[in-house]
């Protein structure tokens, strides 16, 4: 099966840890290779020509996520990366994360990105995730990837360009 491509940002290491575990799960349990880019470690923008999934932890400025607290801080480079060369067009969805102590603001930045770029909000997990999250999120990624490739094929944009 085609590798799973992931674009993500991790500032304090939780998302990086999660992607490491998810990669191991995909490779050992599903025999699918994972290619991932952590924008914090590789801030130079490249053109992503293969379909990918994005992961984004929430870092918002204060507030409660209802009347205020929806201003993204620290992770805006991921949005710039998605805008670069229209990379977002190859993104078949985003997975949010955060800390549930933030209540309404939980994983809010990924929801904002889904609205801003028009790709699906696939699901979310908290902090470093749990063992239950790996099969659940792997299944969700493969489902959204399949939907994306069938939609692009139906539009006549087939992978070989015919
Ligand atoms: C300054 C700051 C603001 C945060 N704001 C939110 C928030 O609004 N919503 C949320 O769900 N989590 C919030 N978090 C928690 C982080 O999203 C969470 O710790 C996440 O796992 C960090 O991912 P990382 O370690 O990969 O960078 C915030 C954390 C910090 C330090």
């Amino acid at each position: 099966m085609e590798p799973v491509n992931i674009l993500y940002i991790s500032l304090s290491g939780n998302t990086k840890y999660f992607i490491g575990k998810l990669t191991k799960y995909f490779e050992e349990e599903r025999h699918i290779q994972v290619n991932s880019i952590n924008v914090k470690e590789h801030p130079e923008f490249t053109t992503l020509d293969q379909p990918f999934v994005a992961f984004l932890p929430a870092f918002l400025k204060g507030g409660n996520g209802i009347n205020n607290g929806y201003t993204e801080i620290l992770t805006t480079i991921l949005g710039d990366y998605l805008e670069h060369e229209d990379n977002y067009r190859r993104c078949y969805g985003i997975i949010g994360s955060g800390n549930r102590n933030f209540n309404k603001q939980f994983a809010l930045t990924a929801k904002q990105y889904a609205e801003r770029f028009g790709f699906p909000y696939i699901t979310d997990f908290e902090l470093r995730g749990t063992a239950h999250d790996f099969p659940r999120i792997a299944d969700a990624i493969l489902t959204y990837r399949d939907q994306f490739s069938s939609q692009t094929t139906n539009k006549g944009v087939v992978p070989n360009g015919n």
Side-chain angles (χ1 to χ4, degrees):
M1 209 187 263
E2 287 289 303
V4 167
N5 303 306
I6 298 176
L7 182 71
Y8 74 100
I9 187 160
S10 182
L11 301 178
S12 56
N14 290 343
T15 313
K16 182 175 179 172
Y17 175 91
F18 185 87
I19 299 293
K21 289 281 194 186
L22 183 68
T23 299
K24 198 164 178 291
Y25 176 82
F26 261 123
E27 292 178 352
E28 289 179 0
E29 305 295 329
R30 308 289 179 100
H31 308 291
I32 298 174
Q33 194 201 320
V34 174
N35 304 314
S36 60
I37 299 174
N38 179 0
V39 178
K40 189 192 174 200
E41 292 166 357
H42 298 281
E44 64 290 347
F45 297 158
T46 58
T47 304
L48 303 172
D49 51 13
Q50 295 300 314
F52 64 95
V53 58
F55 279 72
L56 176 60
F59 286 89
L60 294 156
K61 194 176 159 190
N64 59 16
I66 304 169
N67 308 311
N68 46 34
Y70 28 67
T71 303
E72 180 186 15
I73 51 170
L74 306 171
T75 52
T76 54
I77 190 175
L78 189 82
D80 297 340
Y81 207 129
L82 288 165
E83 275 180 7
H84 175 77
E85 299 283 349
D86 286 351
N87 276 331
Y88 70 91
R89 288 177 180 270
R90 268 91 57 201
C91 181
Y92 51 84
I94 191 160
I95 295 174
S97 64
N99 183 331
R100 290 196 189 276
N101 290 343
F102 284 84
N103 299 310
K104 291 276 181 199
Q105 275 178 231
F106 173 64
L108 184 59
T109 330
K111 292 173 187 156
Q112 293 171 328
Y113 272 45
E115 197 163 313
R116 169 177 162 194
F117 290 107
F119 45 56
Y121 182 80
I122 298 179
T123 186
D124 41 55
F125 65 94
E126 190 175 14
L127 298 171
R128 295 186 161 205
T130 68
H132 298 292
D133 288 322
F134 306 119
R136 177 179 72 80
I137 289 184
D139 283 342
I141 288 174
L142 297 177
T143 300
Y144 277 85
R145 184 173 77 165
D146 283 354
Q147 278 172 12
F148 181 81
S149 57
S150 62
Q151 278 163 11
T152 48
T153 305
N154 290 341
K155 281 185 204 150
V157 189
V158 296
N160 66 5
N162 289 327

